[in-house]
Amino acid sequence: MVKTLDILDCSGARIGEYAVPESLSSVIELNKGAQAVHDAVVAYLAGARSGSACTKTRGLVRGGGAKPWRQKGRGGARAGSNRSPVWVGGGTIFGPQPRSYAKKMNKKVLALALKRALAERIEEGDVMVLDKFVLPDHKTRSAYAVLKNLKVQDDTIMLSMTEFDEASICATGNIPNLIVRRAATVNVYELLRFKKLVFCKDALDAFIGRLA
């Protein structure tokens, strides 16, 4: 059975239907992609890490150039530097250094993860299709009025468009529970993070095109 979503306009009125491809429903029916979703979220969060942790080895710690005492005759252990890792104030052994935490994902696995995440959100009733996000001006109250008409103003929302226009960017910038994303950059983490996903019709077409 082909699943359909209502297409709404900015006033919240239903103006048509959007047929969801059967390939999305089959992912749920065959129980495919759950592990791919997990891997995609882990990879996204790992890639978001700055990887800037840095400790100083004995070669980086200031000082330690002079030998603390002569090699023999004191009755104690020999020492070549007071910045040795075993000394207080010395360097760190095997401490963290700046590095990338990014993880590689195969394109097919990522496409499966996107497909599974979107299919689950559609099944849960959290995906809305908007005909066009068109505002009369660049004011925040105009964008908020659209969200209120869609009855999602109190939820965390991701609004997906194919391309941004100046009015949309200006009007949505001060709404704290809303982010705007291009269909080409929507990722698995964002599909799961927000309570409501609002796709413009052409943006949903473009996003589903990424899943082929």
Side-chain angles (χ1 to χ4, degrees):
M1 181 178 178
V2 178
K3 186 175 181 61
T4 60
L5 298 173
D6 291 338
I7 300 176
L8 309 175
D9 60 15
C10 288
S11 66
R14 181 180 179 277
I15 60 173
E17 288 186 345
Y18 187 95
V20 178
E22 293 184 5
S23 59
L24 287 179
S25 301
S26 65
V27 170
I28 299 292
E29 293 170 1
L30 298 175
N31 195 25
K32 295 172 59 178
Q35 184 61 44
V37 170
H38 174 270
D39 293 344
V41 172
V42 170
Y44 175 84
L45 295 176
R49 295 182 65 175
S50 62
S52 59
C54 182
T55 54
K56 291 184 178 182
T57 63
R58 63 184 295 166
L60 298 175
V61 179
R62 180 180 176 86
K67 186 174 175 64
W69 50 71
R70 65 180 185 273
Q71 183 80 347
K72 294 178 178 293
R74 296 185 69 254
R78 56 193 174 183
S81 171
N82 60 6
R83 293 297 179 258
S84 167
V86 299
W87 284 44
V88 174
T92 301
I93 305 174
F94 303 130
Q97 296 293 316
R99 70 183 182 94
S100 171
Y101 287 88
K103 297 179 181 292
K104 181 182 180 298
M105 283 198 69
N106 294 332
K107 290 183 179 179
K108 289 185 178 180
V109 176
L110 182 57
L112 176 60
L114 289 169
K115 188 180 293 186
R116 173 63 185 247
L118 179 62
E120 284 186 351
R121 299 309 303 273
I122 291 176
E123 287 292 325
E124 293 166 358
D126 295 326
V127 177
M128 305 178 72
V129 183
L130 189 63
D131 182 38
K132 292 180 180 179
F133 188 71
V134 180
L135 302 176
D137 50 43
H138 60 276
K139 295 182 179 180
T140 301
R141 65 185 177 189
S142 299
Y144 188 79
V146 175
L147 301 181
K148 197 169 183 180
N149 292 336
L150 298 177
K151 299 179 181 179
V152 295
Q153 72 275 11
D154 296 326
D155 299 321
T156 55
I157 313 146
M158 184 193 73
L159 172 63
S160 180
M161 307 166 64
T162 50
E163 292 295 336
F164 301 151
D165 59 87
E166 186 177 354
S168 298
I169 294 298
C170 291
T172 58
N174 287 331
I175 302 178
N177 58 328
L178 169 70
I179 67 163
V180 183
R181 291 287 185 267
R182 288 189 176 91
T185 63
V186 173
N187 57 64
V188 175
Y189 179 73
E190 291 174 340
L191 288 177
L192 301 177
R193 176 186 175 192
F194 296 93
K195 191 170 182 181
K196 293 294 182 182
L197 307 176
V198 180
F199 284 87
C200 292
K201 181 179 178 298
D202 54 354
L204 186 54
D205 289 335
F207 181 75
I208 291 177
R210 292 173 54 192
L211 310 181

